[in-house]
């Protein structure tokens, strides 16, 4: 019986993703190269490239590895609670890995784990709650884009640096040209790294879409 290669054991999809995420988290987006990753895994560059032929494939592997950590919401959970649970879990994952977000840019997140743990169950829950198909998909899309944008806008792992950079940018503005920005620096700086900005916006979207809520957004006849 042939012996299994040790390099293959070190080059499983999960190990590749974990090592790649560590490189990004430790050194920033520029730290992720195929040579650095192969060295971290103690395998040859050729072995790594057989698993991931290009950077896009490697990033897909990393994002879907993270998506596998999204929770399975217990059956019977009310729609609003289940929705908030799914999206806040995604937000926590994304804010923990800002370098990965920077590398992916505008590439879509369509891995099997994300589809199975977020997209499919959330849209199915929207439909089961009584939303029509267009509204079910639109509600999902709004919450997804809010989450992705809120997580990627600043590096939430280093809030002090973000606040310092914001103060510096505001201080460089001419108050005569930017009175609103220069007149309220403390409020602007605080909002840049305040997670409640995201959570509050998510709850507003949930309240607006919730078919069980009396204030749910009515259907726009112009779209009928």
């Amino acid at each position: 019986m042939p012996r299994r290669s040790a390099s293959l054991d070190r080059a499983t999809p999960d190990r590749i993703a974990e090592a790649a995420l560590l490189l990004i988290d430790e050194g920033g987006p520029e730290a992720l190269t195929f040579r650095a990753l192969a060295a971290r895994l103690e395998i040859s560059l050729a072995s790594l490239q057989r698993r991931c032929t290009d950077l896009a494939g490697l990033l897909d592997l990393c994002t879907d590895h993270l998506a596998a950590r999204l929770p399975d919401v217990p059956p019977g959970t009310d729609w609003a609670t289940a929705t908030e649970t799914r999206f806040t879990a995604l937000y926590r994952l994304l804010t923990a890995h800002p370098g990965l977000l920077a590398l992916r840019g505008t590439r879509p997140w369509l891995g099997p784990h994300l589809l199975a743990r977020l997209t499919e169950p959330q849209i199915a829950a929207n439909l089961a709650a009584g939303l029509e198909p267009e509204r079910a998909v639109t509600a999902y899309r709004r919450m997804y884009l809010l989450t992705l944008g809120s997580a990627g806008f600043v590096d939430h792992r280093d809030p002090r640096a973000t606040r310092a950079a914001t103060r510096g940018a505001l201080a460089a503005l001419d108050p005569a040209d930017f009175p609103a920005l220069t007149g309220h620096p403390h409020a602007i700086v605080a909002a840049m790294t305040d997670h409640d900005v995201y959570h509050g916006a998510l709850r507003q979207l949930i309240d607006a879409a919730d078919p069980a809520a009396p204030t749910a957004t009515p259907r726009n006849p112009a779209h009928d």
Side-chain angles (χ1 to χ4, degrees):
M1 183 175 179
R3 296 175 58 188
R4 181 178 177 86
S5 168
S7 65
L8 288 178
D9 290 336
R10 290 192 293 270
T12 63
D14 282 340
R15 289 192 175 188
I16 291 172
E18 288 168 3
L21 288 168
L22 281 174
L23 282 174
I24 298 170
D25 292 344
E26 293 169 357
E30 63 279 1
L32 181 63
T33 67
F34 271 69
R35 290 191 181 279
L37 183 55
R40 175 66 65 95
L41 290 165
E42 298 181 328
I43 62 174
S44 69
L45 183 59
S47 295
L48 177 59
Q49 290 175 328
R50 281 195 291 270
R51 294 287 194 184
C52 303
T53 57
D54 57 18
L55 180 61
L58 177 57
L59 295 177
D60 286 342
L61 194 66
C62 291
T63 55
D64 208 48
H65 176 77
L66 286 180
R69 304 176 189 175
L70 291 172
D72 288 321
V73 177
T77 304
D78 70 90
W79 178 83
T81 299
T83 300
E84 188 168 7
T85 297
R86 291 189 184 99
F87 283 102
T88 54
L90 178 63
Y91 178 76
R92 286 193 296 270
L93 283 179
L94 298 181
T95 53
H97 302 282
L100 178 62
L101 279 174
L103 282 172
R104 286 195 63 89
T106 58
R107 285 176 51 78
W109 297 59
L110 298 173
H113 281 122
L114 184 72
L115 294 176
R117 290 179 176 267
L118 178 70
T119 311
E120 172 63 24
Q122 185 60 53
I123 292 179
N126 291 354
L127 294 168
L131 294 178
E132 297 175 357
E134 287 187 3
R135 287 189 62 201
V137 174
T138 297
Y140 168 84
R141 185 70 174 162
R142 286 172 177 166
M143 295 173 200
Y144 172 76
L145 291 176
L146 169 69
T147 305
L148 200 62
S150 297
F153 185 68
V154 298
D155 184 348
H156 289 280
R157 294 197 313 158
D158 193 358
R160 181 176 297 180
T162 298
R163 289 193 290 267
T166 304
R167 289 191 194 97
L170 293 174
L173 298 177
D174 186 340
D177 294 329
F178 302 96
L181 291 173
T182 58
H184 306 281
H186 297 299
I188 293 171
V189 169
M192 291 295 292
T193 56
D194 186 356
H195 292 292
D196 280 343
V197 172
Y198 165 73
H199 293 298
L202 177 63
R203 283 190 290 270
Q204 286 181 333
L205 288 179
I206 291 172
D207 289 344
D210 190 349
T215 56
T217 302
R219 185 172 59 190
N220 187 345
H223 293 166
D224 290 345

